[in-house]
Amino acid sequence: MSYDLSHEEILRYSRHLLIPEVGLEGQRKLLQSSVLVIGTGGLGSPVALYLAAAGVGRIGLVDYDVVDFSNLQRQVIHGMEGLGELKVESARRRMLDLNPDIQVDVYNEPFTSDNAMRIAAEYDVIIDGTDNFPTRYLTNDVCVFLGKPNVYGSIFRFDGQVSVFDARRGPCYRCLFPEPPPPGLVPSCAEGGVLGVLPGTIGTLQATEALKLLLGIGEPLIGRLLLYNALDMSFEFVRLRKNPKCKICGPEPEVTDLIDYEAFCGVPGHDHEEGSAGVDWDITASELAQRLQAGNHIRLVDVREPHELEISRLPGATLIPLGQMAARLSELDSAEEIVLFCKAGTRSARALELLLSAGFRKVKNLKGGINAWAREVDPSLPIY
C-alpha cells in the first residue's frame, strides 16, 4: 500500500526526508507502522513524544494510573493541567497537540494475562515502559508468542538499561533473567528514587530502537544489553546469548501460555508504592495516633535512610535503616510493642517479615508509612 505525503507532511518531516536511510520511503513506513507503549510514566513519556513527533502512524498507550504531582519531576508528557487525569488521556492530548495527524489509541486498563494478547496483536513493535517484574515477564512472553520485538528499558537512581528482545533473532528477556528476583530485593523508583532526566535518556534510546526496527536500518540492540550510568556518563554493552534451555523460547519450551505473573514474581503487577503487611500485621496512621494519645508504650522504628529524615520524621522514633535491620536486631526488645514505618509502608513491611522470622510477635507495620501519617494525622508534614 502506497502512502503519499501531503505538502504539510513533507514540510513536517523534511529533516527525516533529507536522511538517505529514511527518505520518503522510510517516512511512509513510519506513517504506516504501529507501536504499543506499555506505561505512560517516566519511560513512556519520552517514548510516546518522540514516536509521535517522528510520525509513527498509530501509537497505543496502556496505563490505568492518574497523573500525580510527584510524577511531574520526570514524566514530561504530563503537566499541571493533567493532575488527577487518566495518564493515557493526558498523554494522548499532548501527543496529538504535537502531531494531530497520527492515531493514538488508549487502553485505560492494567496490562494482564487476560487482555495482553488482544491488545498487543495489532502492533508491530512493543515497548516496555513499566516498573514492575510481573508486567516485564508478561510483556516478554506476549512478544515471544506473537513473534514481535520487545524494546526493553529499566531505570533506577542514576542507572539505566536498554535492549531489544526478539526471540526470532536473538534472546528473550527470560534468557537473561530466567527467574524473577526475590520479592523486595530490587527496590522500585518509588522507594529508591530516580534522577529526573534519566528516564528521558533511556526512553529516548528506546524510541530510537523502535524507529530503527520500523525502518529496518542500523543494528538494533538484539543480543546486546546497553548499561548506562549518568554519574560518570558511561555507556557499556554486554553481549547476550540465546539460552538453549529457555523455558519459553528454547527448543523445548515449558511455558506455552500466559501464566499468573503476580504469583510467579511474588509481587503486585502495578507501580503503586503503598505497601501493606496484611490485615493481621498492619496498623493505620489513625489507629496508631489513637493508641499513642491513650498513653500506650509503643516503640516506633523508622526503617528509612538517614537522608530521608531531612524530609519528615516522627518524634521519638528510632532510626534503623532496612539494610541494617538484620545486624541490629539486638537493639530491639521482643517484649515491647513495635511499629515499623518507612515512606509508604513497603520497606517496613519487609522489615516486619524479618522481625517475624526472628521470633518477634508484638510488631506492626504502619500502613502507608509516614506519608499516611501526614495525610491522616499531621498535615504539617510533607508528603514525598
Side-chain angles (χ1 to χ4, degrees):
M1 175 180 173
S2 177
Y3 187 104
D4 293 325
L5 273 67
S6 67
H7 287 188
E8 185 180 68
E9 287 176 315
I10 288 176
L11 181 59
R12 174 185 286 275
Y13 305 118
S14 61
R15 300 305 187 271
H16 271 177
L17 306 185
L18 293 169
I19 304 173
E21 290 84 355
V22 183
L24 269 171
E25 185 58 33
Q27 193 60 51
R28 291 192 187 101
K29 284 184 180 179
L30 294 181
L31 290 165
Q32 296 175 74
S33 297
S34 59
V35 175
L36 180 67
V37 183
I38 305 172
T40 53
L43 293 173
S45 288
V47 166
L49 284 172
Y50 275 103
L51 293 183
V56 173
R58 182 187 179 195
I59 303 171
L61 305 175
V62 185
D63 208 317
Y64 65 105
D65 203 358
V66 297
V67 181
D68 181 77
F69 198 64
S70 66
N71 300 150
L72 304 184
Q73 168 253 12
R74 65 204 175 280
Q75 300 181 18
V76 294
I77 202 168
H78 310 295
M80 291 291 290
E81 65 175 330
L83 290 176
E85 184 180 9
L86 292 172
K87 283 186 177 179
V88 289
E89 296 295 346
S90 170
R92 174 163 64 177
R93 184 177 63 250
R94 177 69 184 95
M95 293 163 68
L96 293 178
D97 177 62
L98 184 63
N99 189 347
D101 297 327
I102 63 171
Q103 176 181 332
V104 181
D105 299 329
V106 298
Y107 304 89
N108 177 38
E109 53 190 303
F111 195 63
T112 68
S113 297
D114 294 329
N115 62 18
M117 296 288 280
R118 167 180 58 83
I119 293 174
E122 302 181 20
Y123 295 89
D124 301 319
V125 173
I126 313 299
I127 298 186
D128 181 357
T130 62
D131 186 26
N132 64 82
F133 288 103
T135 312
R136 285 178 186 163
Y137 279 95
L138 168 61
T139 301
N140 175 78
D141 293 0
V142 166
C143 288
V144 173
F145 292 146
L146 293 177
K148 298 180 185 291
N150 167 22
V151 183
Y152 159 80
S154 70
I155 52 174
F156 181 69
R157 291 187 173 168
F158 300 98
D159 294 296
Q161 300 180 355
V162 185
S163 190
V164 175
F165 297 112
D166 188 342
R168 299 166 301 176
R169 295 187 279 170
C172 76
Y173 181 76
R174 282 183 185 261
C175 289
L176 182 60
F177 302 110
E179 300 291 337
L185 182 65
V186 181
S188 68
C189 292
E191 295 176 309
V194 61
L195 185 68
V197 74
L198 178 66
T201 304
I202 299 303
T204 305
L205 291 171
Q206 288 181 278
T208 303
E209 289 301 298
L211 293 175
K212 286 160 56 183
L213 290 167
L214 296 173
L215 291 166
I217 62 175
E219 183 182 350
L221 284 172
I222 296 173
R224 292 184 295 157
L225 178 68
L226 183 154
L227 305 175
Y228 169 72
N229 179 271
L231 285 179
D232 58 19
M233 196 53 70
S234 63
F235 290 84
E236 299 178 6
F237 293 89
V238 176
R239 284 284 177 184
L240 307 177
R241 296 181 180 275
K242 200 171 182 68
N243 181 0
K245 296 183 179 180
C246 180
K247 293 183 178 181
I248 190 167
C249 75
E252 299 179 359
E254 297 179 22
V255 180
T256 57
D257 201 355
L258 300 182
I259 61 175
D260 183 338
Y261 292 89
E262 292 189 347
F264 175 62
C265 296
V267 293
H270 57 72
D271 299 341
H272 301 299
E273 61 182 275
E274 185 167 303
S276 169
V279 292
D280 292 336
W281 302 104
D282 277 339
I283 185 170
T284 67
S286 299
E287 291 169 342
L288 177 59
Q290 290 172 2
R291 298 202 59 195
L292 290 172
Q293 289 169 4
N296 289 278
H297 176 71
I298 298 175
R299 177 82 175 272
L300 298 177
V301 178
D302 187 343
V303 304
R304 298 177 299 162
E305 295 302 309
H307 65 269
E308 292 178 79
L309 294 178
E310 298 180 24
I311 304 171
S312 61
R313 64 174 69 201
L314 294 185
T318 301
L319 177 67
I320 305 180
L322 177 60
Q324 301 176 18
M325 183 63 71
R328 296 177 60 183
L329 284 178
S330 60
E331 298 178 27
L332 300 176
D333 185 350
S334 61
E336 285 186 304
E337 285 193 58
I338 298 172
V339 172
L340 304 161
F341 71 92
C342 61
K343 171 193 168 187
T346 302
R347 283 172 284 174
S348 50
R350 295 204 293 272
L352 184 138
E353 292 178 1
L354 195 155
L355 263 63
L356 291 178
S357 67
F360 287 76
R361 288 296 176 264
K362 299 170 69 174
V363 59
K364 293 284 186 180
N365 173 57
L366 178 57
K367 186 177 182 182
I370 198 169
N371 279 351
W373 183 272
R375 284 191 296 267
E376 300 173 26
V377 179
D378 185 1
S380 70
L381 292 178
I383 294 173
Y384 69 107

